[in-house]
Amino acid sequence: AQKVTQAQTEISVVEKEDVTLDCVYETRDTTYYLFWYKQPPSGELVFLIRRNSFDEQNEISGRYSWNFQKSTSSFNFTITASQVVDSAVYFCAFAAGYGGSQGNLIFGKGTKLSVKP
Amino acid sequence: GAVVSQHPSRVICKSGTSVKIECRSLDFQATTMFWYRQFPKKSLMLMATSNEGSKATYEQGVEKDKFLINHASLTLSTLTVTSAHPEDSSFYICSARDNRGHEQYFGPGTRLTVT
């Protein structure tokens, strides 16, 4: 069965610190997709990134970067120079791949990030 | 970009009444929509998968007679919480998958409070 584990329930940092949110997944699928979503206090889920299982290249988008390592089944998310606006709950999610499309999303339990000024 | 709306964003109702929540894909067609429930400080739990023109597929433990889902068009799915009770109070989020089968776009959520 597929599973997503976010071991960090809550993280608190001071503004400008770097912070890494961990995500470990379990699957026997060879084709799958991994996601990160941000959920600010307003509740709306904000899509951050989607990676497929065949692309292990790390990705950087501004202050955000993602490290995908199939060898350790991890898809970690780093925020560099954190800001108060980064405070939110971050969810890692998994979806199996089927013939070019993707299955249902399976979410981790989320990590609540608090960035203090 | 693709937009999914939900209405209402917030609703308070009395025990025993029914509440309908709408989920619309505004600029794309979605054969498949999903309904999630999120308890405070918890993750999103998939309740059901809604398929246009056919019956919804419910996850284990979700009462199909209590949570009625209708997906009558390619841009609209509705979730009706029937005979609501305080334990149904929750944050309900829908998402819609574009018909190319890849991306899944989330609505802003509906906060239901049953008094």
Side-chain angles (χ1 to χ4, degrees), chain B residues 4-19:
Chain B
V4 175
S5 70
Q6 272 185 250
H7 178 79
S9 57
R10 192 178 289 265
V11 57
I12 301 172
C13 70
K14 293 186 177 180
S15 272
T17 61
S18 294
V19 175

Side-chain angles (χ1 to χ4, degrees), chain A residues 61-76:
Chain A
S61 176
R63 294 184 298 108
Y64 295 170
S65 62
W66 291 270
N67 185 306
F68 175 27
Q69 294 204 347
K70 288 176 79 169
S71 60
T72 55
S73 296
S74 65
F75 187 44
N76 296 339

Side-chain angles (χ1 to χ4, degrees), chain A residues 39 50 100-104 108, chain B residues 34 38 43-44 97 101-103:
Chain A
Q39 188 178 39
R50 170 181 182 261
S101 62
Q102 69 182 48
N104 294 342
Chain B
F34 304 88
Q38 186 180 29
S43 187
L44 282 76
R97 179 186 290 162
H102 293 295
E103 299 300 338

Side-chain angles (χ1 to χ4, degrees), chain A residues 45-102:
Chain A
L45 275 176
V46 178
F47 168 82
L48 296 178
I49 189 170
R50 170 181 182 261
R51 301 305 297 274
N52 72 56
S53 52
F54 299 108
D55 182 3
E56 280 192 80
Q57 267 195 329
N58 290 335
E59 180 151 343
I60 298 175
S61 176
R63 294 184 298 108
Y64 295 170
S65 62
W66 291 270
N67 185 306
F68 175 27
Q69 294 204 347
K70 288 176 79 169
S71 60
T72 55
S73 296
S74 65
F75 187 44
N76 296 339
F77 172 33
T78 298
I79 302 174
T80 304
S82 59
Q83 299 176 2
V84 173
V85 293
D86 295 328
S87 297
V89 179
Y90 290 86
F91 290 98
C92 179
F94 169 99
Y98 303 107
S101 62
Q102 69 182 48

